[in-house]
């Protein structure tokens, strides 16, 4: 199985949802990078299950209560990377494996296809296909972020919940959230606060979904500013296709678009290609970054556990809010890899 991602900044994830723990081994991170361990843990905390919404006080996600405490086993000494493999582990502490003992294959899940492909698999909580696997990605992405911002401190990356079900933020609301992330005040990383004008509506929707065994999908949008020109290879390792691969490797993703994406298919060329502002291309052309603002979106399907399965177990009625730090992490990992590749290419 392919459990690794990246070319020069390469990392391998391991572990199952109800096993002893999950983690990641990162290779290719240069020596001497100063790591902010508090920031690494903060990113894990943004993704972790069981947390209450800071606005409503309700648990609007799975009630599985995991601390997700990071342990770094190798590759770091006195707060700096050694250039050797960085091994990280998070131990599982709140499994409830008995919930899955008599559960049949769940529609929308990967349980049956894993069983058919490998002949033997771990069905507890989805095993390795569980959303819990994404904590390994968040660790790798948080490490990648600190590498990237050591080289290019001007790069700024923010992810948003653009939509949940039929509720969607407009451009001005996204700009307001971006400014909030920029302010000196601590960013309120609350699920309902991500919809600043409709906090109550979102909280009510998700609370009712948990009670009824319903689920919803949505879209995560990412803005990246300060990206240098020239990242990405011109043929098979384009920035856009590597980003697409990274995003579509996340569980429950159902679509990806960069810039104006599918909307461009419904426009005339004379309307698209005459703009001095070229955000419609998503900050890249020919698969190579232009130095302009990058924008892309990733769609997530409704959570597969619904009705009685959702009511009896511990499941997210919507994974989109917890997916934001995962999408950001995968983006940082792509940037780290592209930057290292670019530096290799320009040495000769």
């Amino acid at each position: 199985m392919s459990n690794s991602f990246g070319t020069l900044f390469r990392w391998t994830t391991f572990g199952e949802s109800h096993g002893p723990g999950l983690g990641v081994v990162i290779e290719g991170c240069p020596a001497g990078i100063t790591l902010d361990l508090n920031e690494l843990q903060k990113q894990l905390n943004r993704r972790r299950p069981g947390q209450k919404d800071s606005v409503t006080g309700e648990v609007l996600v799975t009630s599985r209560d995991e601390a997700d405490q990071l342990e770094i086993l190798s590759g770091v000494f006195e707060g700096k990377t050694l250039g050797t493999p960085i091994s990280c582990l998070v131990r599982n502490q709140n499994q409830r494996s008995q919930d899955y003992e008599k559960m049949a294959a769940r529609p929308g899940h990967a349980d049956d296809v894993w069983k058919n492909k490998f002949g033997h698999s771990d069905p507890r909580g989805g095993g390795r296909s569980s959303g819990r696997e994404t904590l390994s990605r968040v660790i790798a992405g948080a490490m990648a972020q600190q590498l990237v911002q050591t080289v290019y401190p001007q790069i700024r990356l923010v992810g948003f919940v653009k939509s949940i079900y039929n509720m969607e933020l407009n451009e001005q609301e996204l700009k307001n959230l971006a400014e909030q992330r920029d302010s000196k005040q601590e960013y309120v990383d609350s699920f309902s606060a991500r919809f600043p004008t409709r906090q109550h509506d979102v909280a009510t929707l998700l609370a009712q979904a948990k009670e009824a065994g319903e689920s919803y999908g949505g879209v995560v949008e990412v803005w990246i500013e300060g990206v240098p020109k020239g990242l990405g290879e011109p043929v098979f390792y384009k920035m856009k296709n590597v980003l697409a691969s990274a995003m579509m490797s996340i569980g429950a993703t159902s679509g990806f678009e960069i810039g104006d994406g599918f909307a461009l298919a419904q426009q005339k060329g004379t309307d698209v290609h005459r703009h001095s502002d070229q955000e419609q291309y998503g900050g890249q052309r020919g698969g190579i970054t232009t130095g302009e603002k990058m924008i892309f979106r990733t769609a997530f399907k409704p959570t597969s556990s619904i009705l009685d399965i959702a009511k009896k177990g511990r499941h997210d009625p919507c994974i989109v809010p917890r997916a934001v730090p995962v999408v950001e992490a995968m983006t940082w990992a792509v940037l780290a890899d592209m930057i290292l590749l670019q530096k290799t290419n320009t040495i000769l």
Side-chain angles (χ1 to χ4, degrees):
M1 291 186 291
S2 175
N3 296 290
S4 301
F5 185 84
T7 302
L8 295 184
F9 186 85
R10 186 168 180 81
W11 41 281
T12 301
T13 69
F14 62 87
E16 292 80 38
S17 178
H18 285 226
L22 299 97
V24 61
V25 178
I26 302 166
E27 295 186 276
C29 185
I33 303 297
T34 300
L35 294 181
D36 184 337
L37 301 184
N38 290 330
E39 182 62 25
L40 293 175
Q41 186 62 53
K42 177 182 175 181
Q43 296 305 318
L44 274 174
N45 293 345
R46 293 177 63 207
R47 190 223 68 95
R48 78 174 185 84
Q51 54 187 308
K52 291 183 179 180
D53 184 81
S54 62
V55 173
T56 66
E58 297 183 62
V59 178
L60 302 178
V61 297
T62 171
S63 57
R64 179 172 176 173
D65 190 9
E66 295 281 2
D68 285 355
Q69 187 63 46
L70 176 64
E71 299 178 39
I72 298 181
L73 308 180
S74 68
V76 178
F77 180 67
E78 294 182 342
K80 292 186 177 182
T81 59
L82 294 169
T84 55
I86 303 171
S87 302
C88 304
L89 174 68
V90 169
R91 300 181 191 274
N92 291 327
Q93 299 175 325
N94 193 225
Q95 308 97 312
R96 231 167 57 184
S97 301
Q98 66 272 16
D99 290 352
Y100 300 88
E101 289 177 355
K102 297 181 180 180
M103 189 176 292
R106 300 169 290 170
H109 282 272
D111 301 339
D112 58 335
V113 293
W114 276 61
K115 180 73 172 179
N116 290 338
K117 181 174 178 64
F118 300 110
H120 181 63
S121 63
D122 182 353
R124 301 168 303 169
R128 186 130 176 77
S129 63
S130 166
R132 186 148 178 75
E133 179 268 344
T134 59
L135 72 81
S136 303
R137 299 166 183 253
V138 171
I139 298 169
M143 295 261 187
Q145 177 181 356
Q146 297 193 32
L147 164 60
V148 169
Q149 292 188 320
T150 298
V151 182
Y152 293 110
Q154 78 278 11
I155 292 181
R156 177 175 167 274
L157 186 159
V158 289
F160 313 95
V161 177
K162 181 174 177 59
S163 69
I164 291 178
Y165 186 41
N166 59 4
M167 291 183 285
E168 183 173 349
L169 295 183
N170 58 40
E171 190 75 9
Q172 187 57 53
E173 288 173 315
L174 292 177
K175 287 181 180 178
N176 291 342
L177 281 178
E179 290 173 2
Q180 190 177 7
R181 288 281 287 265
D182 263 352
S183 72
K184 293 182 180 179
Q185 298 178 351
E186 183 69 17
Y187 173 61
V188 180
D189 206 8
S190 163
F191 301 149
S192 59
R194 294 169 185 166
F195 277 73
T197 58
R198 282 158 282 177
Q199 294 177 13
H200 178 73
D201 293 341
V202 172
T204 299
L205 179 75
L206 298 186
Q208 291 176 345
K210 285 196 75 173
E211 184 177 350
E214 187 56 270
S215 69
Y216 297 102
V219 174
V220 173
E221 181 164 307
V222 171
W223 295 359
I224 320 172
E225 295 178 305
V227 178
K229 296 179 180 180
L231 300 184
E233 304 303 309
V235 183
F236 290 120
Y237 210 64
K238 293 178 167 70
M239 175 61 78
K240 61 180 180 180
N241 76 267
V242 178
L243 278 174
S245 175
M247 299 309 134
M248 295 303 288
S249 74
I250 302 170
T253 51
S254 59
F256 173 84
E257 66 174 1
I258 190 165
D260 286 350
F262 289 99
L264 293 177
Q266 300 175 325
Q267 298 183 46
K268 296 182 295 184
T270 50
D271 291 333
V272 172
H273 303 302
R274 287 184 175 181
H275 301 303
S276 57
D277 178 1
Q278 300 189 31
E279 283 191 0
Q280 69 268 27
Y281 305 127
Q284 59 82 51
R285 281 180 281 118
I288 299 171
T289 57
T290 62
E292 297 161 306
K293 179 180 177 180
M294 295 186 67
I295 301 176
F296 67 85
R297 286 164 290 278
T298 304
F300 290 82
K301 68 180 182 179
T303 314
S304 297
S305 294
I306 56 173
L307 302 176
D308 287 343
I309 291 176
K311 293 177 185 178
K312 293 177 181 178
R314 301 181 295 178
H315 306 281
D316 293 85
C318 178
I319 68 165
V320 178
R322 290 178 61 211
V324 173
V326 180
V327 170
E328 290 180 354
M330 293 301 295
T331 308
W332 284 117
V334 169
L335 289 173
D337 205 26
M338 289 296 192
I339 286 168
L340 291 176
L341 283 167
Q342 176 71 355
K343 289 191 172 296
T344 301
N345 287 341
T346 56
I347 287 174
L348 301 178

